[in-house]
Amino acid sequence: MRQTTAMKITYATLSGEGLDEVHAALDAAVESAPGSFGREHPMIIGEDRVVADEQFEDRSPVDDRIVLGRFQSGTVEHVQNAVAAARRALPEWSLLPWQERVARMRGVAEAIREHRWELSVILGYEVGKNRLECVGEVEECSDFLDYYCDRMEEHLGFVTPMDGSGDEQMNLSVLRPYGVWAVLSPFNFPMALTAGPVGAALVTGNTVVAKPSPITPLAVARLAEIIAGCDLPPGVFNLVTGGNDTVSHELAVGAGIDGVVFTGSYAVGMQLMHQDADRAFPRPFIAEMGGKNPALVMRSADLDKAADGVKASAFGLQGQKCSACSRVYVDGSVREAFTEALVEKTLDIRVGNPLEKDVWLGPVISETAFERYRSAIAQAVKDGGRILTGGERLSGGLFDHGFYVEPTVIDDLPLDHELFHTELFLPITVIGEVDGLPQALDLANGTEYGLTAGIFSEDESEIQAFFDGIQAGTIYANRRAGATAGAWPGINPFGGWKGSASTGAGAGGPHYLQQFMREQSRVRVF
Ligand code: NAD
């Protein structure tokens, strides 16, 4: 993979030379960013910048006094226009030699890197991410693109000579693009989960209409401006914004779209796939959905490592990651020691303005999320759960201008309680006691989800049994940096099983790109 800087920032690590420079660059970007906030952002349809009759406002969860921008409330007609523009651009783009598309997409990866500080700070203000998470997400965008370019090169554009070829006949397998793709991204990783699917679709010769969550339009609008400013013909990449019932719905189930990448909740993803089944003929619908990710802490575990790993995954980004560790099954023999260590480490967490250097947790995304927090805590208490730490909203100063809550550990709930099954998407984790690995595995596998999972054990046979028995797409053993979270393109393919994803191929992995193409078996007789 091409990498232009010595420093490497992922979700788990800030390593290498120049960290002071990173923080200095971020300090400057944090200070200058508000100067660009508040302006109106058009949609990108073909070569046009398009405004709608109505706009909506986007405020920062970090401080609700900050208006980040005004965005277009697009209509069904805007989506149809964008799809038509993408369709018009398709012949030229899909017939470009693949090497040429790779070169242009590497240019996009580089352009994103060049804007890394500005984009990072937008993520901080719009999603409430801390500095490490922000820079990591921007870096991930570029790494997704480079990784997919690398795969095109490795597979020579996915043109594969087949047996039986000779002087009289040539047999080829050629993977060809489907056509126009819709990319619908979630609020929590708005840039990476737009850039990744967009990059995969484009490098394989498709064209795209992208649409952000209405909660995070700025991150995607700025990314879109950068993509559109690169060397891509007009219409290859389009951006629409607007509400879920209009723009999102039309993009996901309307006519004229040949493939969809939806990243979001199980409820919405399943609903859209049901509607998709009514079409005249099938098309790819790549749905990356939620998780209820368990960590298993076994008798032989290194408990300090386990507590660090659970803390990182349970509370990173305020628990608003699809890979968040929202339940822990701990062996009875080490329950008390593990729980004590987790609570002690959780008490060290600093909640505040996530753009400040030493703050780890920012606010949850919205009042709706806070209401979910309050009601989950109330439900837990009512049903006999013990709040070991957390459970409260913070107040005073900046805390009165966002929904800042304490990271929360809950114990003593019955193992079949709904908080062990429902994805909350909040900084709450529940602890359940088990007697050995078989019970832990049964419980871990007992939800509709199958995204990520982790184990802490020093027993090799136990780790192998976990790898073999857990029903999840992305799994970890003994990972201090994150029990269940933290994947990177080209290093850890990221995807889910069961109700967590529709295809079984992980993003940033060797099987992802092929989903954007269909095979044509060519027989040429001489
Ligand atoms: P969401 O389901 O509310 O929205 C996801 C996308 O779908 C957004 O673009 C949204 O505008 C659109 N949408 C919402 N309702 C729609 C409707 N009725 N019709 C058409 N489109 C609609 O999800 P969210 O709250 O933005 O994101 C959080 C969810 O995403 C969590 O469940 C999380 O686990 C999941 N997620 C999964 C992954 C993964 O890789 N598996 C990654 C990130 C987030």
Side-chain angles (χ1 to χ4, degrees):
M1 178 173 295
R2 278 175 16 157
Q3 182 63 47
T4 50
T5 52
M7 175 189 47
K8 187 75 197 163
I9 299 174
T10 71
Y11 299 118
T13 58
L14 248 178
S15 63
E17 304 290 311
L19 280 193
D20 289 346
E21 285 156 39
V22 170
H23 284 296
L26 286 169
D27 286 340
V30 169
E31 211 176 302
S32 65
S36 66
F37 290 161
R39 70 182 176 87
E40 189 176 326
H41 295 262
M43 297 183 280
I44 302 173
I45 299 179
E47 51 199 337
D48 299 325
R49 298 294 183 270
V50 176
V51 296
D53 290 342
E54 290 177 23
Q55 283 82 35
F56 64 97
E57 190 178 79
D58 176 28
R59 284 179 184 265
S60 172
V62 173
D63 183 337
D64 60 14
R65 293 165 293 188
I66 302 174
V67 176
L68 294 171
R70 296 187 61 74
F71 297 86
Q72 310 306 318
S73 298
T75 60
V76 167
E77 198 182 342
H78 288 121
V79 175
Q80 291 167 349
N81 291 343
V83 172
R87 175 83 47 211
R88 282 194 299 278
L90 191 59
E92 180 190 341
W93 182 248
S94 62
L95 292 176
L96 268 187
W98 63 266
Q99 295 91 336
E100 181 62 32
R101 285 200 305 270
V102 164
R104 305 227 192 151
M105 294 313 293
R106 290 213 190 271
V108 176
E110 213 40 55
I112 293 170
R113 280 200 187 95
E114 279 163 20
H115 289 82
R116 58 190 347 207
W117 308 125
E118 178 213 342
L119 293 176
S120 295
V121 166
I122 287 174
L123 286 169
Y125 276 107
E126 198 179 40
V127 188
K129 291 189 179 216
N130 69 27
R131 288 184 169 202
L132 169 66
E133 295 278 354
C134 291
V135 182
E137 181 170 348
V138 176
E139 193 86 21
E140 190 184 20
C141 294
S142 298
D143 278 12
F144 266 132
L145 300 188
D146 275 337
Y147 180 74
Y148 295 142
C149 288
D150 292 347
R151 300 285 70 72
M152 285 298 280
E153 287 171 345
E154 178 192 26
H155 292 279
L156 303 173
F158 292 93
V159 178
T160 310
M162 303 300 293
D163 284 352
S165 295
D167 291 344
E168 291 171 8
Q169 183 167 318
M170 183 175 64
N171 303 320
L172 277 183
S173 158
V174 183
L175 293 193
R176 301 192 58 196
Y178 277 95
V180 177
W181 281 70
V183 172
L184 291 86
S185 51
F187 82 82
N188 64 335
F189 283 86
M191 283 187 199
L193 297 179
T194 301
V198 165
L202 294 187
V203 79
T204 48
N206 302 276
T207 56
V208 167
V209 180
K211 188 215 66 73
S213 159
I215 301 172
T216 47
L218 179 61
V220 180
R222 272 305 292 139
L223 178 76
E225 283 295 344
I226 291 165
I227 297 174
C230 292
D231 191 10
L232 305 177
V236 165
F237 173 80
N238 306 272
L239 174 81
V240 292
T241 52
N244 289 334
D245 295 338
T246 50
V247 169
S248 301
H249 186 262
E250 177 65 15
L251 199 53
V253 302
I257 311 249
D258 303 305
V260 177
V261 184
F262 162 88
T263 311
S265 58
Y266 171 81
V268 174
M270 290 302 289
Q271 179 200 326
L272 294 177
M273 279 190 286
H274 279 300
Q275 293 175 9
D276 197 59
D278 283 341
R279 302 172 68 80
F281 55 84
R283 62 176 181 179
F285 196 112
I286 302 174
E288 312 283 2
M289 298 179 280
K292 187 71 187 175
N293 311 296
L296 281 50
V297 181
M298 298 291 96
R299 178 188 290 265
S300 64
D302 174 333
L303 297 183
D304 188 63
K305 205 188 274 178
D308 273 337
V310 168
K311 169 188 158 184
S313 289
F315 304 130
L317 185 50
Q318 296 80 264
Q320 301 168 121
K321 293 188 186 181
C322 54
S323 54
C325 176
S326 49
R327 51 188 178 132
V328 184
Y329 297 112
V330 57
D331 192 275
S333 58
V334 293
R335 172 184 175 169
E336 208 178 311
F338 165 76
T339 308
E340 258 174 38
L342 177 62
V343 168
E344 197 183 313
K345 288 175 192 292
T346 303
L347 286 168
D348 281 346
I349 292 174
R350 194 160 159 224
V351 182
N353 180 342
L355 287 154
E356 283 175 18
K357 189 174 164 187
D358 297 319
V359 170
W360 190 49
L361 295 193
V364 295
I365 193 70
S366 63
E367 185 166 4
T368 309
F370 169 63
E371 287 305 333
R372 215 165 50 239
Y373 178 88
R374 191 154 62 180
S375 97
I377 305 280
Q379 183 75 38
V381 171
K382 179 171 158 283
D383 296 340
R386 259 191 319 144
I387 312 295
L388 298 181
T389 180
E392 299 290 337
R393 180 179 175 185
L394 300 168
S395 61
L398 181 67
F399 294 149
D400 293 339
H401 294 282
F403 294 94
Y404 292 82
V405 300
E406 291 174 337
T408 302
V409 179
I410 303 176
D411 201 356
D412 277 356
L413 284 171
L415 291 169
D416 61 354
H417 193 272
E418 68 167 289
L419 292 193
F420 280 103
H421 295 100
T422 308
E423 183 187 46
L424 292 173
F425 226 51
L426 293 168
I428 296 178
T429 198
V430 288
I431 297 185
E433 180 179 318
V434 293
D435 182 13
L437 183 65
Q439 189 193 6
L441 271 176
D442 268 359
L443 291 164
N445 289 335
T447 73
E448 70 260 38
Y449 294 112
L451 190 49
T452 74
I455 189 171
F456 291 91
S457 167
E458 298 300 314
D459 176 341
E460 273 312 314
S461 63
E462 217 167 41
I463 292 173
Q464 193 56 48
F466 166 78
F467 281 160
D468 293 340
I470 191 76
Q471 295 164 6
T474 310
I475 58 179
Y476 304 87
N478 292 331
R479 190 149 172 282
R480 193 189 284 277
T484 62
W488 201 260
I491 297 175
N492 328 102
F494 186 83
W497 289 9
K498 295 158 64 181
S500 291
S502 64
T503 76
H511 311 294
Y512 186 73
L513 213 52
Q514 291 88 326
Q515 303 177 103
F516 293 80
M517 297 172 283
R518 48 192 165 180
E519 186 171 30
Q520 191 167 56
S521 174
R522 293 183 175 176
V523 180
R524 166 83 163 90
V525 179
F526 300 107

